[in-house]
Structure formats: structure tokens, C-alpha cells
Amino acid sequence: MYSIEATLDSSSSIFNNIPYPAFLTDKEGNIIWWSREAERHFGFSHDDVKVENPPLLDSSVKESFSDMYHTYSHNEDPVRFDSILLYHENGENSIASIVAKSFTIDHHSFVIFLIDLDHLPKSEEASFLELQAIKKSLSDSYMVVYLDKEGLITNANSQFLKKSNWTPKRILGKSFWQMFPDTSEHQLVATNIMKLLRKGESFQGTIEKITKDGINYWVELLAIPVRDTQNNTLYYLLLEEEITEKKLFQSRLEKIAYVDTETGLMSRHRLEDIVTEYIEEKRHFSFVFITIDQFYTLREIFNDQTESKLLIEFAKRLKVYFEDTTIARVGRDEFALITPLSDWYIQGFTNYLRQNPIYLNNKVIPITISGAITKYPEAQHSYLHLIKASNTTIQKVKQEGGGMIASLSQSEHNKLSRTIQIEKRLLEALNHRDLHVMYLPQKDLESGKITAVEALVRWEDEVLGVISPEELIPIAEETGLINEIGTFMLEKCCEQAAIWHNKGFPIKVSFNSSIREFRDKNMVKTIRKVLEKYDCPPEALQIEFTEKFALEAEAEKSIIQQMQTLQQDGVTFVLDDFGTGYASLRYLQLLPISQLKIDKSFIGSLLQQEKLQQLVQGLIQFGHSLSLRVVAEGVESAEQYSQLEQIGCDALQGYYISRPISTKEVENLLNKEAKTVKNI
């Protein structure tokens, strides 16, 4: 090295005659010679710049500059670096271009840098200063690492060195992979990130890294490839923000969410994850759902502290009895298990509880349980299906008195699976308006004309086929989708009634409504808005409801008021399926009912049973006594038609009059009637 220094000393007179500020660096990028012109212009002495972090260069610029040095140190041609920020001893700064030229002395590589202070166009100065300010801010705010194209570290800022516990010299040449834990999973993450960078793509995400001392920490990483104007990759820039505390806090929250703190069992959140994992792995298992019978009665007997002890003791017995089983607490007194054990062994838990009773305050607590066993994949095929099957089974067990663990039959599982499918497909059908409407004509006996039609929802699904109203409506009511269907039917009825009235067919269109819809305080506004939308006369609309609806509405003034308001507007209300529920003179007085519809169950055997004829006649007379129009449903023969006409029924509907038909068929029927009247 002495010979190199001697050579530099002997050459200094030559170097000092260079008209530009200049400096010389060794292979580590350290300044080993500083020209007089550089000292004059910047104010720094040779000793000032001959340090690890020379004050001439901003730290962020030096990191980039160092990488450029390593990139071009063996380039025979001069290389120009534009827009470099350089500092003066008095605190000022300059923007310059630097021309670098490598050469060799005694087999050692050096680079001489010539500073051109006049090269940068003034128009670029403001944007350059802004860019440098951003770079400095990033360096101050983030851990910054520079990689060469092979993934080796060429530089890192002080924040990264402080966190990783590497020294500036020791970190140089370390590979990107060495910053990750030495596991196949973590090394694969590093490899995938490097693959993205080499393809010219960026990476952003949360990763786990490791310090020099083997301590793990977490960062949010942004890794980007830096390219020149010819789109050649120069190096890779890594910006890291440490989030270890945040990650640990998140882990603690997950632990709280995944563990029931009272019993130490798994929580329902974690249970769903595990079931999903098992299903993805196609593992066979039994899903067991257990509830404690009369638990809330036990709560009334014991205080909260005793209740907690009871649950803890019950959880202990679950752990002891069910080995090789995942156990979770999913409710206050509800537990779920994922187990490979056979049904007979699972059902034996009821006997185990009797043989190993729970003692609290030296007293035996009489505990029995109701449970459900659902097999995957034999019975159900998803977590939602398993839960629904369990709830259905538990309800059935409790109705039979509880105290046992049971399972549904295969036919019951098939029915449940279809119900779940219908729920899912119904949502899609409503979104795409795949439902359609058929109309059941109603014949007035006095005029002999069709004066009304009942709108019936119909749904033919491409997957499930035809879903009958008898199957659809109960599912829609249970899921709350009945409101969506009601809105759909209201729109269709008003639209069609308006069309028929404009064509000269003043018939009424009725649809069935539910108590849920009228519990909406805006029901009147909704109906008025739809009537106005289609310019439909209120008198053309009829709303049908059942006795169950009527009994519930009787106790709710807001519903009665809404019905009365709509009646004043001209809308007609019809009591459907009359005679099948619990008749109440009170709701007949309170609700604005204009018509009664006798249920078809009375009409089917009308001709065979004299008492039934008397009952139907009594219902008709009862309706007339209240000034109500009476309609009979389910008329299927001429004999039934004749009998009902004789005993004074006002109108009939059923297959003898017409099956449910389309709008076009309704119009054909009405046109036929009109022609008949004209000919007469």
C-alpha cells in the first residue's frame, strides 16, 4: 500500500492541475485523494472527506452513489452521473454531474470522479431538489437496503444496521436470503421476492426477517428494481418499516379471539378455520354439536361464579372423554367437536356424565345434554352446512325431550341440503330477477266474469329445477328473503294491473303479503311509490294475508294504522285461507278486511260430507253478516261450482275456473269473455 500512496503523492501535481473539482476512491468507495480545486470550491479539507461518511455527500445519495460505483468500477469508458446533490462546508449545496473513470495502479482498481458543476440544466434544478428531499425523507423514515442484481447487499442505511445489528462493513456482500430465518418457508419467501424483482416487478407485503443475532422481527417491505434510461436494471432498492410490535399485538388479539378465556377451549373463530382446513384436505370427520339442557334454569339457581365453575368442569370432562379431538366452545352453553371417533362412542358421553357427575359446593349438579352428530363428507359438505344440520338435529332432539346425542337420517340431510341450496340460489335469483309471475283467475258468480286474478310467484332454477311455492315461501320467511319477494311481487302486480287497466280490463290483481313487511313503518310510502311509478289505480290492487298475520297484526297498532291508510287510498285487503287458523271476531272488527277466502281444504270434500257443506255455508253466511265478500278456493269440478253457487258464495277460483296462467293467457280469457258478451 505504501507504493500506492507514494504513487498518488507523486501524481498529485498532475491531478491538481485538473480544472474541475475531483476526487479519487478505492474499491470500497472511500475517498483517498481530494483535489485542491475540490477543497477550494467545497471548503472541505482532505481530512474532512477521508472518512466513512464524507460530508460532501448526503447519506441517501452516498448509498446510491456507492452502488453506481460498484456497477461501473470496471467500465473502461467514462460514465456520467447526472443530478448529484453535493454539500459545501458552509452548509450550502450544489447540484452537479459527476464523470467517473476507472483505472488501475499496481493491480489495484481506483476510480477518479470529476465534478461538473455547470452541466445540469437550471430547469431541472427544482425538480431534482424535490427528488433529493424525498430520498432523504425516505432514508430518515425507513430502513433502506441496496442489493445488486445477484441479491448481494451493497449498502444499507443506519436504521437498518441498528435494527439488524450488522456493521457497515460486515453487511456488504451478504445475500438477501441471509436476512431471513433459515427455514424452507422463509427462504421460499425470499426467493419469490427476488424472482419478482428480476422480472422487473415490485413487491409489497409483510415479511418476517432475522437479525445478525438470530432475533426475529417483522417489517412491511417495499422492494423495487431501479433502472436506467435504457431500462437496464442497476440495482434493487428495499424500503422497510418495522411492525414487530404491531404484529405481536395482532397475535395476542388472535390468541384472544381463538381461545375461550373461561374454559381454555378453542373459540368458534378458530373452529371454523380448522373445519375449513379439514375440508380442503378432504379429511373425513364427525362434527359433534353439544348443548347443556336447561342451562338457563341452572343459571337462575346458581350465581355467576358457580356458573363459570360448572362450565369449566364440563369442559374438563369433554377433554378427558374425547381424546384425539378438537374441542371448541361456540356459545354460552354450546360446544363443538371435530373427531374421528365412532357414533356409538360419541353417544356414550351421556353415560359418562352420569357416571362422573359435576359437584359444586358438595352438591351434584344434574346435567344432561342434547347433541348432534353430522358426518363430513357423507352428510354435509361445508362448515355452514354442518352448523345448519347441527341446529336442525338439536331442535329435533330437544323436541323429543333432550338428554341424547343423535343424527339426522340421510333423507333429512338431503332435504336440508336442498333447503340450503335454495337459500343460496334464491339470493342470486332475486339479484338477477329470475322469478316470474303466473296469475290464477277468480270468477265472480253474479256476473259470470273474471274480476280478479291472484298473482303467484314461480321460480324455475337452472340447477334446482322447479321450486314450488309450498317449498319456497317457508324458506323465504325463515331467511327474511320474503321481504325481497314481496317487493318483487308488489312491483309486478302494480305494473301488470296498470297495463290491463290501460287496455280496458279493469280487473283487480292481488298478491300475498307477510307480517314482516307490514312491520316496516314505511310500508305505506313504499306501496304508494310503486303505485305512482306505474300509474296504477289503488283500486286495482288487492293484498292478501293469512289468519296468522291477522292475529299478530291485531296487537300492533302501527300495522292496523298502515292497513287503514291504504284502504282509504283504495287498496283492498283479503283474509286468505279462512277457517284454517284461530278465528277471532276481534281482528275481523279491527282490520280493514273486505273479503274472506275459504281455504281449499274445505272445498275438496264438500260433496262427500254433509256437515262440511253446512260448515262452508255457515262461513259464507258469517262473512256476509260482516258485509264481507266471500271467495272459495280450490274449486276443481262442476259439481263443486254448482254447490257453492247454490249456498251463496260470491266468487270462485281453482283449476275448474283456470289453472295459473301467463299475462297473455289472462288477456285471451278476458277478450273471449268480452266477445261473448258482445254477441249476446
Side-chain angles (χ1 to χ4, degrees):
M1 188 65 192
Y2 173 78
S3 61
I4 295 174
E5 292 177 351
T7 302
L8 290 175
D9 288 340
S10 64
S11 303
S12 61
S13 60
I14 299 173
F15 290 150
N16 282 326
N17 287 323
I18 297 174
Y20 299 99
F23 59 91
L24 199 68
T25 67
D26 62 14
K27 64 179 181 179
E28 302 297 334
N30 299 315
I31 296 175
I32 59 174
W33 175 79
W34 182 246
S35 74
R36 290 175 185 172
E37 184 66 19
E39 183 174 345
R40 183 189 67 79
H41 189 85
F42 292 99
F44 296 119
S45 68
H46 186 213
D47 290 336
D48 290 333
V49 297
K50 197 177 179 181
V51 293
E52 185 175 341
N53 293 302
L56 174 72
L57 301 169
D58 178 81
S59 59
S60 61
V61 175
K62 181 181 182 299
E63 290 160 2
S64 302
F65 180 71
S66 176
D67 283 304
M68 289 187 283
Y69 165 77
H70 286 289
T71 302
Y72 295 108
S73 61
H74 300 291
N75 196 326
E76 294 182 357
D77 299 321
V79 179
R80 178 181 293 274
F81 303 116
D82 288 323
S83 303
I84 303 298
L85 181 65
L86 302 173
Y87 287 93
H88 296 248
E89 190 271 337
N90 62 5
E92 296 180 356
N93 55 60
S94 300
I95 304 169
S97 292
I98 299 180
V99 177
K101 176 68 174 70
S102 64
F103 63 95
T104 302
I105 300 176
D106 291 341
H107 307 292
H108 292 277
S109 294
F110 298 91
V111 177
I112 187 167
F113 293 87
L114 306 178
I115 303 173
D116 184 357
L117 295 166
D118 299 321
H119 178 75
L120 188 71
K122 291 189 179 292
S123 60
E124 299 180 17
E125 186 168 346
S127 59
F128 171 76
L129 288 172
E130 182 180 346
L131 177 61
Q132 294 304 315
I134 293 171
K135 289 180 69 176
K136 186 176 186 305
S137 177
L138 289 174
S139 185
D140 291 342
S141 304
Y142 296 91
M143 293 182 279
V144 183
V145 180
Y146 293 84
L147 305 176
D148 65 16
K149 290 185 288 185
E150 301 303 318
L152 301 179
I153 296 175
T154 59
N155 213 328
N157 72 348
S158 58
Q159 288 198 48
F160 177 82
L161 296 173
K162 182 178 179 181
K163 180 61 194 177
S164 65
N165 210 24
W166 287 95
T167 62
K169 290 186 178 180
R170 292 288 184 184
I171 195 66
L172 298 178
K174 300 297 180 186
S175 78
F176 178 60
W177 288 263
Q178 286 177 271
M179 303 299 108
F180 287 76
D182 189 20
T183 68
S184 57
E185 180 183 355
H186 290 92
Q187 293 298 304
L188 179 60
V189 170
T191 298
N192 289 336
I193 293 172
M194 190 55 64
K195 284 181 180 178
L196 284 174
L197 292 174
R198 285 171 176 164
K199 288 194 297 184
E201 300 176 16
S202 299
F203 168 85
Q204 185 171 10
T206 303
I207 61 169
E208 186 177 8
K209 300 187 74 179
I210 193 168
T211 68
K212 177 187 175 184
D213 307 319
I215 299 173
N216 292 43
Y217 65 100
W218 292 84
V219 299
E220 282 287 349
L221 170 66
L222 173 62
I224 56 177
V226 178
R227 299 186 172 192
D228 60 18
T229 54
Q230 283 76 42
N231 207 32
N232 298 311
T233 298
L234 301 177
Y235 56 93
Y236 304 126
L237 175 64
L238 311 182
L239 298 175
E240 300 176 350
E241 179 184 13
E242 188 185 2
I243 58 165
T244 303
E245 284 300 319
K246 179 181 176 182
K247 191 71 178 178
L248 291 174
F249 180 67
Q250 182 182 346
S251 297
R252 287 193 292 270
L253 288 179
E254 288 177 353
K255 186 175 181 182
I256 292 171
Y258 286 163
V259 177
D260 175 55
T261 54
E262 191 169 20
T263 62
L265 297 175
M266 182 186 301
S267 74
R268 61 187 177 88
H269 305 289
R270 181 61 181 147
L271 173 74
E272 182 174 356
D273 290 344
I274 291 181
V275 170
T276 303
E277 289 171 11
Y278 276 32
I279 290 173
E280 288 175 353
E281 295 169 4
K282 302 188 183 304
R283 295 172 62 174
H284 289 243
F285 60 89
S286 289
F287 185 82
V288 184
F289 199 93
I290 292 174
T291 65
I292 299 175
D293 294 334
Q294 291 84 42
F295 178 74
Y296 289 94
T297 302
L298 293 173
R299 287 186 64 179
E300 292 295 322
I301 299 173
F302 302 106
N303 58 35
D304 291 341
Q305 187 175 3
T306 306
E307 176 193 331
S308 182
K309 290 179 180 177
L310 170 65
L311 291 167
I312 291 169
E313 287 299 319
F314 184 77
K316 287 180 181 178
R317 281 154 180 75
L318 285 172
K319 292 176 185 177
V320 171
Y321 186 82
F322 291 101
E323 296 181 355
D324 301 322
T325 293
T326 298
I327 307 173
R329 184 182 178 194
V330 295
R332 188 62 192 158
D333 65 320
E334 298 171 334
F335 302 84
L337 298 79
I338 308 171
T339 182
L341 299 170
S342 60
D343 288 4
W344 67 265
Y345 186 86
I346 295 168
Q347 291 165 340
F349 183 60
T350 56
N351 292 328
Y352 176 81
L353 283 178
R354 284 193 289 269
Q355 295 166 5
N356 298 271
I358 295 174
Y359 289 88
L360 293 179
N361 299 327
N362 297 318
K363 292 181 180 179
V364 174
I365 308 300
I367 285 185
T368 61
I369 60 169
S370 294
I373 304 172
T374 308
K375 292 185 177 299
Y376 174 85
E378 295 88 342
Q380 297 297 338
H381 308 288
S382 72
Y383 178 75
L384 174 63
H385 289 196
L386 292 168
I387 290 292
K388 285 197 173 253
S390 297
N391 289 332
T392 302
T393 310
I394 291 288
Q395 290 176 11
K396 182 179 178 182
V397 169
K398 287 185 179 292
Q399 287 172 359
E400 295 175 0
M404 63 178 177
I405 301 175
S407 58
L408 297 177
S409 66
Q410 190 57 52
S411 62
E412 289 172 318
H413 275 298
N414 293 341
K415 182 179 178 182
L416 180 63
S417 296
R418 179 171 170 81
T419 298
I420 295 170
Q421 278 187 298
I422 289 174
E423 289 178 12
K424 180 181 177 182
R425 300 289 299 176
L426 180 56
L427 277 170
E428 297 177 13
L430 287 167
N431 286 336
H432 295 96
R433 299 184 72 83
D434 287 340
L435 304 179
H436 65 279
V437 181
M438 300 291 280
Y439 298 91
L440 186 62
Q442 185 181 111
K443 188 172 186 178
D444 179 74
L445 290 176
E446 183 178 354
S447 65
K449 296 180 180 179
I450 302 300
T451 57
V453 291
E454 180 182 354
L456 304 173
V457 63
R458 290 292 185 266
W459 178 28
E460 185 172 353
D461 183 72
E462 60 182 12
V463 175
L464 300 171
V466 176
I467 295 90
S468 68
E470 291 77 17
E471 188 177 24
L472 172 62
I473 300 304
I475 294 173
E477 288 179 338
E478 183 182 344
T479 59
L481 293 175
I482 192 67
N483 291 1
E484 300 288 336
I485 293 177
T487 301
F488 170 81
M489 294 298 290
L490 172 64
E491 291 259 355
K492 286 293 186 181
C493 289
C494 290
E495 180 184 21
Q496 192 57 55
I499 291 172
W500 281 330
H501 273 249
N502 290 333
K503 289 184 176 182
F505 302 129
I507 63 172
K508 294 179 179 288
V509 180
S510 66
F511 73 99
N512 292 276
S513 186
S514 71
I515 191 73
R516 287 190 181 192
E517 292 171 276
F518 271 85
R519 286 200 172 108
D520 180 354
K521 294 181 180 179
N522 295 315
M523 188 62 174
V524 171
K525 291 182 181 179
T526 300
I527 292 176
R528 283 175 170 174
K529 187 176 180 180
V530 175
L531 287 168
E532 183 180 354
K533 176 182 177 181
Y534 295 105
D535 194 22
C536 176
E539 295 76 15
L541 183 66
Q542 293 188 152
I543 300 176
E544 300 192 15
F545 58 91
T546 63
E547 285 185 292
K548 181 182 177 183
F549 176 118
L551 285 166
E552 292 185 49
E554 177 188 333
E556 299 186 40
K557 289 184 180 180
S558 62
I559 294 178
I560 296 174
Q561 289 171 353
Q562 290 202 89
M563 294 175 72
Q564 289 172 341
T565 300
L566 288 170
Q567 185 192 45
Q568 291 168 5
D569 288 350
V571 176
T572 304
F573 285 94
V574 180
L575 181 61
D576 196 14
D577 300 336
F578 183 64
T580 59
Y582 299 94
S584 167
L585 291 176
R586 178 173 169 78
Y587 74 64
L588 287 170
Q589 290 175 321
L590 291 176
L591 302 181
I593 300 170
S594 300
Q595 293 185 36
L596 297 179
K597 292 181 78 172
I598 300 174
D599 187 69
K600 61 184 178 182
S601 61
F602 295 103
I603 307 304
S605 303
L606 182 66
L607 302 177
Q608 287 77 35
Q609 299 181 35
E610 186 177 345
K611 285 186 177 181
L612 196 56
Q613 294 176 20
Q614 295 172 351
L615 175 60
V616 171
Q617 187 173 5
L619 292 175
I620 294 171
Q621 292 173 351
F622 174 72
H624 288 165
S625 70
L626 296 175
S627 301
L628 302 177
R629 192 165 185 268
V630 181
V631 181
E633 299 180 286
V635 179
E636 297 185 356
S637 68
E639 292 79 11
Q640 291 172 349
Y641 183 106
S642 177
Q643 182 70 30
L644 289 164
E645 187 176 27
Q646 288 178 22
I647 59 179
C649 198
D650 297 301
L652 307 177
Q653 72 177 47
Y655 286 0
Y656 180 72
I657 308 300
S658 172
R659 290 179 175 272
I661 54 179
S662 66
T663 54
K664 185 176 181 180
E665 290 172 312
V666 172
E667 290 180 15
N668 290 339
L669 195 60
L670 294 173
N671 283 320
K672 185 177 179 181
E673 283 185 349
K675 288 179 181 179
T676 301
V677 171
K678 187 176 181 180
N679 292 334
I680 293 174

